[in-house]
C-alpha cells in the first residue's frame, strides 16, 4: 500500500475506535514515528497532512530536524541520556520518556539555561517488564510530585509501552491502569497536569485509544517496514 493509503487507513481506524469509545476523533494526535525513515519519505508524509514527528535517537533527530525546517511538532519518544538533553531541549515540543530522577534534573537545568519550560511525560512501566524503561505505578506519585516542583520542567501526562501480544486485547489492562494512574495523580499532586496519555503503537493503538490515549505513536502502520 502507498503512504497515502496507509495514512487514510489509520485515520479510518482512529475514527472508528473513537466512535466506539464515545470520543471525538479530533482530540487524538497522531505522532508519526520517523526513526530510520528517509527524509524524502517523511516529506511525502508531511504533504499528506502529518504534522507531528517522533524520533527516538538524538543523533538521527539532529540530522533530520534542520533539513525538515518547517512547521513540525517534534516529539522525542526514546530513552534519553542525560548528557544529550541540552542538544534537544529547545527543539522538541514534548519529551515522552521521563523515567528517572537524574533525567528530570538534567531537563530542569537545560530548560532553565535555555529560558524555556520543557514539557515531558512520565514514562511508567505498568506491565513490569524488565526489558522496558519506566517507573512502577507505586513510584509514580512521589516522582511526579518532586518533578513538578523542579523549575523549567512541566510534567503533563504519562507514557507507557505495552507488552507485545498477538491479541491487542491482552494489552488493555496496561492502558486502563495507566489512565487510572493519570487520574489519581491529577487528584493527589497539587497543580500537576495529566492532560496527555501517550499510549498505543502499531499493534495496539485502537485498544489504547478506547482506554483514553490521546497521543498515538505510529511508525510501521504508516511507513511500513523499517529501513
Amino acid at each position: 500500500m502507498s503512504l497515502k493509503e496507509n495514512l487514510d487507513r489509520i485515520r479510518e481506524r482512529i475514527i472508528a475506535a473513537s466512535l466506539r469509545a464515545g470520543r471525538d476523533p479530533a482530540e487524538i494526535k497522531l505522532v508519526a514515528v520517523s526513526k530510520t525513515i528517509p527524509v524524502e519519505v517523511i516529506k511525502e508524509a508531511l504533504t499528506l497532512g502529518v504534522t507531528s514527528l517522533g524520533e527516538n535517537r538524538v543523533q538521527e533527530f539532529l540530522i533530520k530536524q534542520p533539513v525538515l525546517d518547517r512547521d513540525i511538532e517534534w516529539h522525542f519518544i526514546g530513552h534519553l541520556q542525560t548528557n544529550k538533553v541540552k542538544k534537544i531541549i529547545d527543539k522538541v515540543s514534548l519529551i515522552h520518556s521521563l523515567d528517572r530522577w537524574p533525567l528530570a534534573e538534567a531537563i530542569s537545568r537545560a530548560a532553565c539555561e535555555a529560558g524555556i519550560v520543557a514539557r515531558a511525560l512520565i514514562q511508567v512501566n505498568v506491565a513490569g517488564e524488565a526489558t522496558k524503561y519506566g517507573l512502577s505505578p507505586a513510584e509514580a506519585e512521589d516522582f511526579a510530585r518532586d518533578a513538578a516542583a523542579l523549575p523549567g520542567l512541566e510534567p503533563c501526562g504519562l507514557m507507557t509501552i505495552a507488552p507485545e501480544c498477538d491479541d491487542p486485547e491482552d494489552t488493555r489492562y496496561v492502558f486502563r491502569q495507566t489512565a487510572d494512574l493519570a487520574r489519581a495523580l491529577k487528584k493527589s499532586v497539587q497543580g500537576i497536569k495529566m492532560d496527555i496519555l501517550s499510549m498505543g503503537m502499531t499493534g495496539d493503538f485502537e485498544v489504547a485509544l478506547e482506554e483514553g490515549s490521546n497521543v498515538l505513536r505510529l511508525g510501521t502502520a504508516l511507513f511500513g517496514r523499517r529501513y
Side-chain angles (χ1 to χ4, degrees), residues 45 51 84 87 115-116 137-138 169 199:
T51 58
K84 294 184 178 179
K87 296 180 178 180
I116 64 172
E169 282 295 326
M199 310 190 300

Side-chain angles (χ1 to χ4, degrees), residues 75-149:
H75 295 240
F76 192 81
I77 62 176
H79 185 68
L80 181 57
Q81 296 177 322
T82 56
N83 63 351
K84 294 184 178 179
V85 170
K86 285 185 178 181
K87 296 180 178 180
I88 69 163
I89 195 67
D90 59 347
K91 298 178 176 66
V92 298
S93 172
L94 185 64
I95 296 170
H96 288 231
S97 48
L98 175 54
D99 61 354
R100 60 201 188 280
W101 187 246
L103 179 59
E105 292 180 314
I107 293 172
S108 172
R109 285 194 301 269
C112 289
E113 290 174 8
I116 64 172
V117 175
R119 298 165 66 242
L121 305 179
I122 298 170
Q123 182 172 352
V124 291
N125 185 355
V126 170
E129 291 185 282
T131 56
K132 287 189 173 68
Y133 297 105
L135 301 168
S136 71
E139 298 171 308
E141 182 176 342
D142 288 342
F143 182 90
R145 182 175 289 108
D146 292 342

Side-chain angles (χ1 to χ4, degrees), residues 4-170:
K4 182 180 185 306
E5 289 171 328
N6 287 345
L7 185 56
D8 287 345
R9 177 59 180 150
I10 287 169
R11 286 169 172 161
E12 289 171 0
R13 293 170 66 185
I14 288 174
I15 290 171
S18 298
L19 294 177
R20 287 197 300 271
R23 301 181 62 192
D24 181 358
E27 70 183 27
I28 311 302
K29 180 184 293 291
L30 166 62
V31 175
V33 179
S34 50
K35 67 175 183 179
T36 77
I37 303 301
V39 167
E40 293 74 19
V41 178
I42 297 173
K43 286 181 177 178
E44 181 185 354
L46 297 176
T47 66
L48 295 172
V50 170
T51 58
S52 301
L53 297 176
E55 286 286 336
N56 70 343
R57 297 170 184 162
V58 170
Q59 186 174 359
E60 185 177 350
F61 165 71
L62 292 175
I63 292 172
K64 290 176 177 176
Q65 189 261 344
V67 176
L68 296 166
D69 186 17
R70 52 187 295 169
D71 190 21
I72 299 170
E73 184 180 272
W74 288 100
H75 295 240
F76 192 81
I77 62 176
H79 185 68
L80 181 57
Q81 296 177 322
T82 56
N83 63 351
K84 294 184 178 179
V85 170
K86 285 185 178 181
K87 296 180 178 180
I88 69 163
I89 195 67
D90 59 347
K91 298 178 176 66
V92 298
S93 172
L94 185 64
I95 296 170
H96 288 231
S97 48
L98 175 54
D99 61 354
R100 60 201 188 280
W101 187 246
L103 179 59
E105 292 180 314
I107 293 172
S108 172
R109 285 194 301 269
C112 289
E113 290 174 8
I116 64 172
V117 175
R119 298 165 66 242
L121 305 179
I122 298 170
Q123 182 172 352
V124 291
N125 185 355
V126 170
E129 291 185 282
T131 56
K132 287 189 173 68
Y133 297 105
L135 301 168
S136 71
E139 298 171 308
E141 182 176 342
D142 288 342
F143 182 90
R145 182 175 289 108
D146 292 342
L150 287 174
L153 173 60
E154 182 184 21
C156 49
L158 301 180
M159 185 274 265
T160 198
I161 302 172
E164 293 186 15
C165 299
D166 292 333
D167 184 354
E169 282 295 326
D170 293 338

